[in-house]
Amino acid sequence: MALVEINALSFSYGRAPVLKDLSFSIEQDSTLGIVGESGSGKSTLIRVLCGLMPVQSGIARYDGRDISEWLDREPRGFRRRNQIVFQSPASSLDPRMRVGQSLAEPTKSLERRTPSDEELGQWLTVVGLGPEALQRYPHQLSGGQLQRVAIARALTVNPTMLYADEPTSALDVSIQAQVLNLLIEIRRRLGLTMVIVSHDLAVVGRVCEQVIVMRNGEIVESGPTASVLRYPEHEYTKSLVNAARAVSLGASHDAADAII
Amino acid sequence: MAARRSRSPQLIVGAALVALLVLAGLLSLVWTPYDPAALDVTNKMAPPWTDGHLLGTDQLGRDVVAQLMAGALNSLLVAVLSTAGAVVLGVALGLTAAGGGRFWSDTLTRATDVAIALPGILVALVLATFFGPSNTTAIVAIVVWFVPGAARIVIGPARQVLAREFVEAAMAYGRSRSFVLFRHVLPNLGPLIIVMASMMFAGAILTEAALSYLGLGAQRPTPSWGRLLFESQSVIGQAPSLVVFPGVCIMLAVLGFNLLGDGLRSRLDPRHAREVVV
Ligand SMILES: Nc1ncnc2c1ncn2[C@@H]1O[C@H](COP(=O)(O)OP(=O)(O)OP(=O)(O)O)[C@@H](O)[C@H]1O
Ligand SMILES: [Mg+2]
């Protein structure tokens, strides 16, 4: 049985439909990439899946149970299992809180206990930072370090699903690869199921086994990443792949091959 | 940046004036040169430097310095209470408006717009008619007058903080809307609220003076600057200093809190000091 099952899911902000009749599933321990142009509804989709937006119509199940039912009956259990990392490292931590305070928040909120500094320090080590960062304020850290802290914060409650909304696109190119490697490593070490939203096909190509291509709130193509990117069927996917090729061809041929 | 932090002339002058006001007010609790209410019938409207009356006496022979000091305490008392009330209520209202659903948020925003358009003196007059003139009336009038403005100042920045990703992250780990408002949004608005309170304090002192001048504030025997101004205007020909001194006090106090507010603003404002806020 799939960990997440979506059937005929639709969503709108007010009148405008943003997600239209989506159906797909996410297997346990897999990594799913969601690509698509700006405004296609990627962020909205994962917000619904991790319980930040309501399921308005259609079916969305997590572990065999409706997400709305999870949120009604066992909200903390659901949130503990489903965590999310956002795009902008600069705004993902409260500037008035030390890193240690921010890291302690999910445990305080969801497990009703205050985690020790050792415990939090260990999570920092997992994401490649030293425990001394606990005492820092966000403005004392770099973008890459902040994103590592945000990832650590999501991990502190031992989630089974980790959603990441454009986790690397606000970072310097040199840092992007490091954070991506970190996500790959964490996934392997902790056995997470991951969903990564990205407009960068290279990111999805490196990390994700499965991919969904979205446009205007609809899924235009989906399947194993390798075949979708190598043999795109839909015109829109072809144009995305060609655009990505063209960009990296400008850089070098090797890079173009590396993508796909 | 560093230069501005260490030496802002506004901040220094403002803080000095405020300190002087606070010292004079507090000192009046334990010591004044004469009893502010004591009449010296042989020395009515004495000019400054007469018989130990540093700034002279008023038309009943009461010592001017003593009355100004006691008036400072009264101004401070009214300003502290009304500013505190307006800040607490205004910030709570602003946070609720920013954090509530769209309907609640729009309704509150409209309501503050309407309330801001009401003339405050009118509010005070109505209140005084109902409850009689007193410091309490002045305080309530100032609070009612300032609350919508305070809410209005807070709503925009609160919405900005709410739009940041750490708020969504907090929701994702199960924090409630009100927890987010009070534990994340409020601390991030701290500097803004401090600056706002300082400016409001200046406004409260001026308003208290205006209300007591109109006879809506403190009544004798409690001395207040506005009352002093009112009582001495009839003898402005014989003793102009009786009008000048309370006027200067009001001006310096308002100037002091405004300068302090400006100085704090350039030190704490997000646009000037990004590391301090948001
Ligand atoms: N809070 C909101 N209220 C109203 N409309 C919204 C809101 N958030 C997003 N939208 C609209 O919904 C649509 C989908 O937005 P969404 O953020 O899900 O797209 P996206 O694929 O993540 O885009 P991007 O790549 O730019 O992040 C857009 O047209 C957007 O304008
Ligand atoms: Mg998005």
Side-chain angles (χ1 to χ4, degrees), chain A residues 37-44 46-47 87 165-166 197 199:
Chain A
E37 65 194 2
S38 189
S40 55
K42 308 182 296 291
S43 299
T44 306
I46 66 168
R47 276 165 178 73
Q87 172 173 7
D165 193 354
E166 313 250 14
V197 168
H199 55 246

Side-chain angles (χ1 to χ4, degrees), chain B residues 73-165:
Chain B
L73 186 68
N74 190 63
S75 284
L76 281 173
L77 188 76
V78 171
V80 165
L81 292 176
S82 55
T83 303
V87 166
V88 169
L89 292 176
V91 168
L93 197 64
L95 287 183
T96 321
R102 182 170 304 161
F103 174 77
W104 178 226
S105 167
D106 285 354
T107 311
L108 275 178
T109 310
R110 297 277 147 65
T112 54
D113 284 344
V114 172
I116 284 170
L118 284 176
I121 291 291
L122 208 65
V123 176
L125 277 168
V126 172
L127 282 168
T129 327
F130 276 107
F131 302 110
S134 71
N135 265 343
T136 316
T137 301
I139 290 168
V140 173
I142 296 172
V143 170
V144 170
W145 189 6
F146 283 6
V147 161
R152 207 78 178 89
I153 289 173
V154 165
I155 290 176
R159 286 208 177 113
Q160 279 175 19
V161 178
L162 280 171
R164 295 166 68 86
E165 287 174 348

Side-chain angles (χ1 to χ4, degrees), chain A residues 47 52 79 82-84 86-88 90-97 102 105-106 108-110 139 153, chain B residues 163-175 179 183-185 187-188 190-191 275-278:
Chain A
R47 276 165 178 73
L52 286 172
R79 301 211 181 276
N82 292 271
Q83 279 293 304
I84 181 165
F86 297 98
Q87 172 173 7
S88 159
S91 88
S92 64
L93 298 175
D94 187 334
R96 313 285 296 183
M97 284 185 170
S102 284
E105 274 289 293
K108 282 185 180 170
S109 168
L110 295 173
H139 72 264
R153 178 178 58 190
Chain B
R164 295 166 68 86
E165 287 174 348
F166 61 82
V167 168
E168 262 193 310
M171 300 293 188
Y173 54 70
R175 289 305 195 187
F179 180 95
R183 304 296 281 278
H184 288 292
V185 178
N188 276 287
E275 77 271 26
V276 186
V277 73
V278 186

